[in-house]
Amino acid sequence: MNLRILRKAWRSRNGDQPSSAFSHNIIRLFSQLSSQSTPDAFGIAFDIDGVVLRSEAPIGGSPRAFRRLYDDSGNLRIPYVFLTNGGGISESKRALELSSLLGVKISPLQVLQGHTPFKQLVNRFENELIVAVGKGEPAAVMAEYGFKNVLSIDDYASCFDNIDPLAPYKKWITKQVADQSRAVAAKDLVLSQRVQAAFVVSDSVDWSRDIQVLCDILRTGGLPGRGIGHQPQLYFAHDDLAYQAAFPSERFGMGAFRIALESIFNRIHPHALEYTTFGKPNPFVFKNAELILKQLVLSLQDKVQVLNPANAGGHNFKTLYMIGDNPAVDINGARQAGHPWFSILTRTGVFKGKENHAEFPADLVVDTVEEAVDFVLRKECSS
């Protein structure tokens, strides 16, 4: 695009020569655009655990790195999202937490968690009884998405006497329902209505109880204690075998829980477990991230916070950067997604090797997220 094209487009629309004032404004605008990079030509997706944070502590110079994505007034200037398989709380709460930890203003639109795609299933299960599994607030997350008949597995299990034979030996105290009338109503509902779907929203806190109860739900057609029936739907927010937490070596993730559940279920049921997994490295997750980044570009251009996703299709990125620590998840996902994704692997999480990963090599390997951001900005924002 150049000044001649702009003038030609103006004449074809107005049938006349542009005024001197118009020419002056166009020349000034064009010179401004030509003297700097176009930040909307690229976008960034960051993994969180092992890249930006370890547990709740920033790592790898992440606060400094993120401040470089904003202008001096604290306004976002580079479009980016968090693309994480983690979760358990709403995107709005996670945005507030990240804003506090990193010292920048983060919108819920920028937070894409493993369970975020569950929103797409609201029309199917909006009024059906569903069970939400995991740490944090899994039922509250699903309710915020629009599911109207959802119980956490804690509340669901509490409706059945003796469903967990190990409960008397567990020292922790589960949260009691404050509204007893609500608890009675929930129990009546559970004992008379079949569960239509179970959603593993985040990592299970009590594997023995959750595997037991899920097997009861899944093999009986949604009514524990009954005979074998058709399996309800089962969804996992992601399938990570391991992730980097505060402990020096990786911890088992939702993928490990899925393997344990599947192994046991397949031993006690005549048909193999059927399930659907979301999260990275599925290519559609990266496509969704690209769509959100397009919305962010429009919000930066139009100074609008909430946009119609249908309006985002007109913008095409030259490069999208995936910055992650897990070769099998972050790098593999970016590689499967293909153009315009460029993968950057950090050494602060799951990956700690000196050379590139052998099976899932990244386009670039760096030590920290700060180095990754420095590379991106030098490459994209140099005059």
Side-chain angles (χ1 to χ4, degrees):
M1 182 175 181
N2 56 36
L3 183 58
R4 185 181 305 167
I5 294 173
L6 286 170
R7 280 180 168 149
K8 183 178 180 181
W10 193 94
R11 284 198 299 269
S12 66
R13 183 174 181 179
N14 295 277
D16 201 355
Q17 291 292 327
S19 67
S20 59
F22 175 82
S23 297
H24 175 73
N25 288 336
I26 285 295
I27 291 170
R28 184 175 63 180
L29 174 62
F30 186 76
S31 65
Q32 289 173 347
L33 291 174
S34 300
S35 65
Q36 60 186 18
S37 67
T38 53
D40 54 357
F42 71 99
I44 309 173
F46 295 90
D47 185 27
I48 297 178
D49 295 319
V51 175
V52 177
L53 305 175
R54 179 170 295 162
S55 188
E56 295 301 314
I59 59 174
S62 54
R64 289 189 301 272
F66 278 89
R67 283 196 292 271
R68 297 181 66 187
L69 307 180
Y70 294 76
D71 63 22
D72 292 338
S73 300
N75 298 312
L76 183 66
R77 68 184 184 94
I78 305 295
Y80 75 88
V81 296
F82 293 97
L83 188 57
T84 174
N85 280 350
I89 60 175
S90 68
E91 286 75 11
S92 57
K93 284 189 176 181
R94 192 61 167 146
L96 287 174
E97 288 184 356
L98 289 166
S99 297
S100 175
L101 290 167
L102 298 175
V104 294
K105 184 168 56 179
I106 296 166
S107 163
L109 181 66
Q110 293 173 270
V111 180
L112 304 177
Q113 303 187 100
H115 48 69
T116 301
F118 288 169
K119 296 177 183 179
Q120 301 169 13
L121 296 169
V122 170
N123 289 340
R124 182 174 180 183
F125 297 107
E126 180 178 6
N127 296 301
E128 305 289 353
L129 177 60
I130 64 172
V131 171
V133 181
K135 66 181 182 181
E137 305 169 339
V141 167
M142 298 298 282
E144 187 169 309
Y145 290 165
F147 296 91
K148 296 177 179 177
N149 200 4
V150 55
L151 288 174
S152 70
I153 198 165
D154 292 342
D155 290 341
Y156 186 84
S158 70
C159 296
F160 296 89
D161 295 335
N162 305 313
I163 196 169
D164 178 11
L166 299 179
Y169 304 96
K170 294 173 180 176
K171 303 301 182 183
W172 63 83
I173 300 174
T174 57
K175 185 170 62 177
Q176 300 297 317
V177 178
D179 186 347
Q180 292 302 315
S181 61
R182 177 174 170 270
V184 172
K187 186 170 184 176
D188 291 340
L189 174 70
V190 164
L191 297 179
S192 62
Q193 188 172 335
R194 292 184 182 273
V195 173
Q196 298 300 314
F199 292 81
V200 185
V201 176
S202 52
D203 290 328
S204 167
V205 175
D206 185 350
W207 279 35
S208 68
R209 194 263 328 256
D210 291 353
I211 289 175
Q212 177 70 73
V213 175
L214 284 173
C215 283
D216 288 333
I217 292 170
L218 297 170
R219 68 175 175 172
T220 62
L223 276 175
R226 306 294 179 91
I228 291 178
H230 181 71
Q231 181 201 312
Q233 297 297 312
L234 174 62
Y235 300 96
F236 292 89
H238 63 84
D239 203 36
D240 284 4
L241 179 65
Y243 66 98
Q244 185 65 59
F247 197 74
S249 57
E250 302 95 77
R251 302 292 85 190
F252 291 140
M254 192 179 296
F257 176 78
R258 190 266 306 162
I259 291 170
L261 172 63
E262 184 176 18
S263 177
I264 294 171
F265 182 89
N266 290 348
R267 293 290 297 270
I268 64 174
H269 196 269
H271 302 292
L273 183 68
E274 298 179 359
Y275 58 88
T276 301
T277 61
F278 291 83
K280 300 173 293 184
N282 291 326
F284 81 88
V285 172
F286 289 80
K287 290 295 183 184
N288 184 54
E290 183 175 355
L291 178 62
I292 298 301
L293 285 164
K294 289 180 179 181
Q295 294 183 56
L296 285 171
V297 167
L298 291 178
S299 70
L300 292 176
Q301 293 173 344
D302 300 333
K303 301 296 188 289
V304 176
Q305 290 296 320
V306 181
L307 298 155
N308 184 346
N311 296 332
H315 181 86
N316 291 314
F317 288 102
K318 179 182 176 182
T319 311
L320 291 174
Y321 296 91
M322 176 69 229
I323 303 176
D325 71 303
N326 191 326
V329 176
D330 303 311
I331 307 308
N332 184 26
R335 285 162 55 91
Q336 289 187 55
H339 180 78
W341 288 93
F342 181 98
S343 59
I344 303 178
L345 181 60
T346 70
R347 295 187 175 95
T348 49
V350 171
F351 179 75
K352 301 178 180 67
K354 292 183 178 181
E355 305 297 331
N356 208 335
H357 192 264
E359 185 176 0
F360 304 110
D363 295 306
L364 176 69
V365 180
V366 297
D367 286 334
T368 67
V369 67
E370 188 173 20
E371 289 184 26
V373 169
D374 182 64
F375 167 83
V376 171
L377 296 184
R378 280 191 287 107
K379 183 173 184 293
E380 299 290 346
C381 298
S382 58
S383 299

